[in-house]
């Protein structure tokens, strides 16, 4: 592997699992680069005051902040596999953690450390590229959602992302149709499919509702 590929592979690994000082820089980068996408995902939930929300793979913590504001007195759970990102969230939100409004968990999308039917709304943005078993992941999300709960999946357009050189490393780029099928199979009915932006910035939001 040449120097360029080594650099790109390292970037891809950090995007999937931020670690150390480089991981902290990646978290800040993700907050800036994904602001519009994460904001759109939170808005698509149409949260009501006092709801219990979940951000899976929250990275730099932007989604946690937006969910805390949108739930306005409710509880927000954040699940993240990166110890670096968890430590960053603890530094960023000490008051909300102390008040019990924000609860952070170390975990993965395929093994969410939450009880059944414990949240009413959830998001995950730019995470499923690093998940090998979509059935297990979406079934877990359906499990923790209360009946009628909403889940918003945000992904970059696969065709656009395939043009980015770092996605050759560790990324799993799946057709949107495959994701839609996996969601409905898991019991998450698709209520809306929004496409945002064009070209390399193209993004999809799949807005679903739990049927269980």
């Amino acid at each position: 592997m040449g120097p360029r590929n080594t650099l790109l592979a390292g970037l891809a690994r950090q995007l999937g699992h931020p670690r150390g000082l480089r991981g902290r820089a990646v978290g800040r980068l993700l907050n800036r680069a994904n602001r519009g996408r994460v904001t759109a995902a939170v808005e698509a939930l149409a949260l009501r005051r006092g709801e219990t929300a979940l951000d899976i793979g929250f990275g730099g913590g932007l989604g946690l902040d937006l969910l805390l504001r949108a739930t306005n007195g409710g509880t927000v759970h954040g699940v993240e596999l990166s110890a670096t990102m968890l430590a960053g969230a603890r530094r960023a939100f000490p008051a909300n953690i102390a008040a019990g409004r924000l609860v952070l968990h170390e975990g993965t999308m395929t093994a969410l450390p939450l009880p059944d039917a414990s949240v009413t709304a959830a998001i995950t943005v730019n995470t499923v590229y690093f998940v090998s078993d979509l059935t297990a992941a979406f079934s877990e999300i359906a499990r923790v959602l209360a009946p009628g709960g909403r889940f918003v999946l945000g992904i970059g357009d696969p065709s656009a992302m395939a043009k980015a050189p770092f996605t050759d490393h560790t990324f799993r780029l799946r057709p949107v149709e495959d994701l839609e099928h996996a969601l409905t199979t898991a019991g998450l009915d698709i209520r809306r499919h929004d496409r945002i932006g064009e070209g390399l910035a193209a993004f999809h939001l799949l807005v679903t509702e739990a049927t269980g």
Side-chain angles (χ1 to χ4, degrees):
M1 183 181 292
R4 181 173 182 272
N5 278 335
T6 299
L7 180 64
L8 292 171
L11 173 60
R13 285 194 298 272
Q14 285 286 357
L15 289 169
H17 190 157
R19 294 178 173 90
L21 291 176
R22 290 182 180 178
R24 291 174 66 175
V26 164
R28 292 191 293 270
L29 172 66
L30 291 173
N31 277 353
R32 291 195 299 271
N34 289 330
R35 177 166 293 276
R37 299 166 179 180
V38 177
T39 299
V42 172
E43 289 176 348
L45 287 176
L47 286 160
R48 298 177 291 274
R49 181 185 179 92
E51 284 200 272
T52 300
L54 166 65
D55 188 354
I56 306 166
F58 56 77
L62 172 63
L64 299 177
D65 183 46
L66 296 175
L67 289 171
L68 285 164
R69 296 172 188 272
T71 55
N72 192 16
T75 302
V76 174
H77 293 268
V79 173
E80 175 60 62
L81 59 80
S82 166
T84 299
M85 296 296 95
L86 283 162
R90 292 186 188 105
R91 289 191 299 270
F93 302 103
N96 285 297
I97 292 170
R101 286 209 58 215
L102 177 61
V103 185
L104 300 176
H105 311 266
E106 182 176 2
T108 66
M109 197 182 303
T110 55
L112 295 171
L114 292 165
D116 295 356
S118 56
V119 301
T120 54
I123 64 167
T124 194
V125 176
N126 282 337
T127 56
V128 295
Y129 324 124
F130 310 106
V131 175
S132 59
D133 191 341
L134 283 183
T135 299
F138 294 154
S139 295
E140 268 292 89
I141 293 166
R143 178 185 67 78
V144 303
L145 279 175
R150 293 95 65 210
F151 168 60
V152 177
L153 172 66
I155 58 161
D157 184 76
S159 298
M161 290 193 67
K163 298 175 183 176
F166 57 84
T167 60
D168 288 339
H169 306 272
T170 73
F171 277 66
R172 294 177 176 86
L173 301 180
R174 302 173 173 95
V176 176
E177 293 78 10
D178 289 1
L179 296 170
E180 291 176 328
H181 176 72
L183 286 164
T184 56
T185 299
L188 297 165
D189 283 355
I190 298 171
R191 301 304 189 195
R192 206 170 78 231
H193 176 178
D194 296 342
R195 181 185 170 99
I196 302 169
E198 298 295 335
L200 291 176
F203 200 72
H204 298 266
L205 287 179
L206 302 177
V207 183
T208 74
E209 182 175 314
T211 58

